[in-house]
């Protein structure tokens, strides 16, 4: 009797081998990752996809069981992040809190923000508020992981507790640490968003597609995070499968790809004018000018950090780095003109006074056309075409 009890305590009712336990861990953690990206993020926060009520509740239950996160708190903290990304009001910017804090103590930043009542009131609207939310999921959010620990211990014995411990660290590390930290720190950028978001990997399978973070900041309300031919978003694949089964309805998708499929009633998400124009300016004016300069002067390529600074005006550099960059630019009048006009254009894009902006944009176009720089003139022409043709300053002429 005692022997049987000891065997069960050490191996659990399944008496599983290590491979089975690792497979169990992988399935459980991936289900949690999909719950976060599909339900909490894409559906509840950004309303880009709706799920069948039964599936939506299964996601809620899974979030409670495996993470103890409350939907309203997660949504509110993330919406505030989008509203103030990489500023001092961002709940979790690696530029404000530090990358190491994000990676290893990201959950503490999240918990601190989620306890801010004002933040919850301002950003947490529209999340579930039914009986089970008010009586179980919110007030007893820690019961979920406790129940999971009991299940784990019963199935796998002592080894189950190790699995449970890894599960408890999974979202804090991969979501709060890697996505919120590295996703604003390291990677490539498709779009010149006003923040520092980056695509960590083009083949986004490990964190549910969240690796494509720059694309997401450019199109926050798109259910699909991949936008270029070589990019893959596993979360979007799952949404398509669920939609085919009648369990999901896509509301909005980004329309960057030419070969866009028909997603039923899903509305295309336009790129914000500012992002569209500044991305086009970097691709069509700044980048060719820098490459040309490198070729002519046969100088070594700029560091990635300075290269990036040319795209965003160097606002993220230290004082010393900015002084170096300015000296480098000032020694090249051709690039200096481009950088000055980029700064002016970025300020115009930020302006909320539309009358003033239209007038100032016309003046900007004249200055660019008078610059004598071919790429700048072509850019100014396409910008003015957008101005005239659509009366909205920044039409689809810029790609
Ligand atoms: Zn972000
Ligand atoms: Zn988001």
């Amino acid at each position: 009797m005692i022997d049987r009890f000891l065997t069960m305590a050490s191996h659990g009712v399944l008496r599983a081998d290590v491979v089975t336990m690792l497979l169990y861990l992988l399935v459980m953690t991936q289900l949690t990752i999909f719950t976060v990206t599909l339900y909490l993020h894409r559906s509840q926060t950004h309303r880009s996809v709706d799920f069948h009520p039964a599936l939506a509740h299964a996601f809620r239950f899974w979030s409670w069981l495996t993470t103890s996160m409350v939907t309203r708190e997660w949504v509110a903290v993330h919406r505030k992040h989008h509203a103030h990304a990489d500023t001092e009001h961002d709940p979790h910017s690696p530029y404000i809190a530090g990358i190491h804090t994000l990676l290893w103590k990201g959950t503490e930043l999240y918990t601190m923000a989620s306890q801010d009542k004002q933040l919850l009131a301002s950003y947490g609207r529209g999340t579930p508020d039914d009986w089970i939310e008010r009586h179980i999921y919110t007030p007893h959010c820690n019961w979920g992981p406790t129940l999971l620990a009991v299940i784990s211990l019963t199935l796998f014995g002592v080894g189950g507790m190790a699995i449970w411990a890894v599960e408890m660290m999974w979202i804090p590390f991969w979501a709060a640490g890697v996505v919120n930290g590295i996703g604003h720190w390291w990677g490539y950028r498709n779009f010149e968003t006003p923040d520092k978001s980056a695509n960590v990997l083009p083949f986004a399978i490990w964190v549910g597609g969240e690796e494509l973070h720059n694309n997401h900041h450019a199109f926050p309300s798109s259910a699909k995070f991949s936008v270029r031919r070589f990019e893959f978003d596993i979360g979007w694949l799952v949404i398509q499968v669920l939609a085919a089964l009648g369990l999901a309805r896509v509301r909005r998708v980004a329309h960057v790809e030419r070969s866009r499929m028909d997603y039923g009633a899903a509305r295309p998400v336009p790129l914000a004018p500012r992002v569209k124009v500044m991305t086009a300016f970097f691709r069509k004016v700044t980048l060719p000018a820098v490459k040309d300069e490198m070729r002519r002067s046969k100088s070594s390529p700029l560091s990635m950090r300075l290269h990036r600074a040319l795209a965003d005006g160097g606002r993220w550099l230290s004082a010393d780095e900015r002084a170096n960059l300015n000296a480098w630019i000032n020694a090249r009048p051709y690039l200096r003109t481009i950088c000055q006009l980029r700064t002016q254009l970025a300020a115009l894009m930020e302006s909320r006074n539309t009358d003033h902006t239209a007038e100032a944009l016309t003046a900007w176009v004249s200055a660019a056309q008078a610059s004598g720089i071919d790429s700048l003139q072509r850019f100014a022409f396409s910008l003015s075409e957008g101005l005239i043709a659509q009366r909205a300053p920044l039409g689809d002429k810029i790609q």
Side-chain angles (χ1 to χ4, degrees):
M1 182 72 184
I2 292 174
D3 279 358
R4 275 185 65 193
F5 176 77
L6 287 176
T7 308
M8 210 188 99
S10 56
H11 299 289
V13 293
L14 292 184
R15 298 180 178 220
D17 57 17
V18 175
V19 175
T20 309
M21 286 162 80
L22 287 176
L23 270 175
Y24 166 87
L25 176 65
L26 188 67
V27 170
M28 294 291 279
T29 49
Q30 282 304 306
L31 283 175
T32 304
I33 290 278
F34 283 124
T35 298
V36 172
T37 185
L38 301 184
Y39 178 71
L40 292 177
H41 193 196
R42 306 188 203 207
S43 179
Q44 286 293 301
T45 305
H46 296 294
R47 306 282 179 217
S48 60
V49 56
D50 287 335
F51 293 110
H52 185 282
L55 180 60
H57 199 111
F59 280 134
R60 277 171 74 191
F61 171 76
W62 199 258
S63 174
W64 172 78
L65 181 72
T66 63
T67 72
S68 81
M69 295 191 300
V70 174
T71 304
R72 182 165 180 249
E73 293 173 1
W74 198 98
V75 165
V77 172
H78 190 68
R79 283 180 185 160
K80 188 171 184 189
H81 164 64
H82 274 270
H84 301 282
D86 293 320
T87 70
E88 66 272 26
H89 300 297
D90 186 342
H92 45 67
S93 169
Y95 295 89
I96 307 298
I99 185 68
H100 290 288
T101 307
L102 257 290
L103 270 178
W104 310 113
K105 296 179 185 169
T107 308
E108 288 176 24
L109 296 175
Y110 168 82
T111 307
M112 217 159 62
S114 67
Q115 287 168 356
D116 180 344
K117 296 247 181 316
Q118 182 63 44
L119 183 153
L120 297 184
S122 305
Y123 295 97
R125 293 196 192 96
T127 49
D129 188 27
D130 49 13
W131 185 92
I132 197 165
E133 191 66 50
R134 289 194 303 273
H135 292 84
I136 307 281
Y137 292 162
T138 297
H140 302 297
C141 56
N142 290 326
W143 285 7
T146 309
L147 174 62
L148 187 66
V150 173
I151 293 170
S152 220
L153 187 63
T154 309
L155 293 178
F156 303 107
V158 178
M161 291 319 288
I163 292 178
W164 179 81
V166 175
E167 282 184 271
M168 291 301 104
M169 289 187 289
W170 206 263
I171 290 297
F173 179 72
W174 291 106
V178 173
V179 175
N180 292 346
I182 306 290
H184 280 258
W185 190 263
W186 185 89
Y188 68 95
R189 278 165 68 86
N190 285 332
F191 303 102
E192 288 314 314
T193 52
D195 48 67
K196 287 286 283 177
S197 58
N199 295 323
V200 181
L201 287 171
F203 201 69
I205 57 168
W206 189 248
V207 201
E210 295 284 336
E211 295 93 326
L212 294 163
H213 204 61
N214 174 244
N215 294 351
H216 172 58
H217 270 270
F219 297 97
S221 53
S222 171
K224 179 175 176 248
F225 290 176
S226 55
V227 295
R228 297 179 73 180
R229 289 187 197 288
F230 59 84
E231 292 171 343
F232 176 74
D233 165 16
I234 195 168
W236 174 240
L237 177 71
V238 175
I239 288 173
Q240 285 179 297
V241 171
L242 293 173
L245 295 172
L247 294 171
R249 187 171 63 89
V250 178
R251 295 174 68 165
R252 285 180 281 265
V253 282
H255 66 291
V256 174
E257 284 282 12
R258 252 183 247 160
S259 57
R260 180 159 53 97
M261 287 169 63
D262 180 12
Y263 297 118
R267 277 192 285 139
V269 184
L271 197 54
R274 184 204 181 280
V275 176
K276 195 171 186 176
V277 169
M278 297 320 293
T279 302
F281 190 91
F282 181 64
R283 292 272 156 76
K284 300 192 171 182
V285 182
T286 311
L287 206 52
V290 172
K291 281 184 182 161
D292 203 33
E293 172 61 31
M294 294 297 154
R295 215 174 14 248
R296 259 187 300 170
S297 63
K298 294 194 172 66
S299 50
S300 51
L302 283 181
S303 71
M304 182 60 88
R305 193 163 164 77
L306 291 184
H307 200 268
R308 282 260 183 92
L310 288 166
D312 58 34
R315 58 194 276 220
W316 308 98
L317 296 179
S318 67
D320 284 351
E321 286 173 321
R322 198 173 302 121
N324 283 342
L325 182 66
N326 286 342
W328 187 83
I329 291 168
N330 286 334
R332 294 159 179 82
Y334 174 74
L335 275 174
R336 189 174 59 212
T337 304
I338 287 174
C339 289
Q340 281 169 347
L341 283 163
R342 196 213 78 87
T343 307
Q344 291 168 11
L345 186 61
L348 286 173
M349 295 294 104
E350 302 275 357
S351 172
R352 296 194 185 276
N353 184 337
T354 34
D355 289 346
H356 169 73
T357 306
E359 204 176 288
L361 263 174
T362 309
W364 187 92
V365 165
S366 303
Q369 282 170 340
S371 67
I373 299 170
D374 191 42
S375 59
L376 200 45
Q377 287 169 326
R378 270 186 279 123
F379 178 86
F381 178 73
S382 57
L383 192 62
S384 64
E385 283 284 287
L387 266 169
I388 295 161
Q390 309 200 15
R391 289 184 69 84
L394 312 159
D396 286 325
K397 294 279 177 181
I398 306 292
Q399 293 164 6

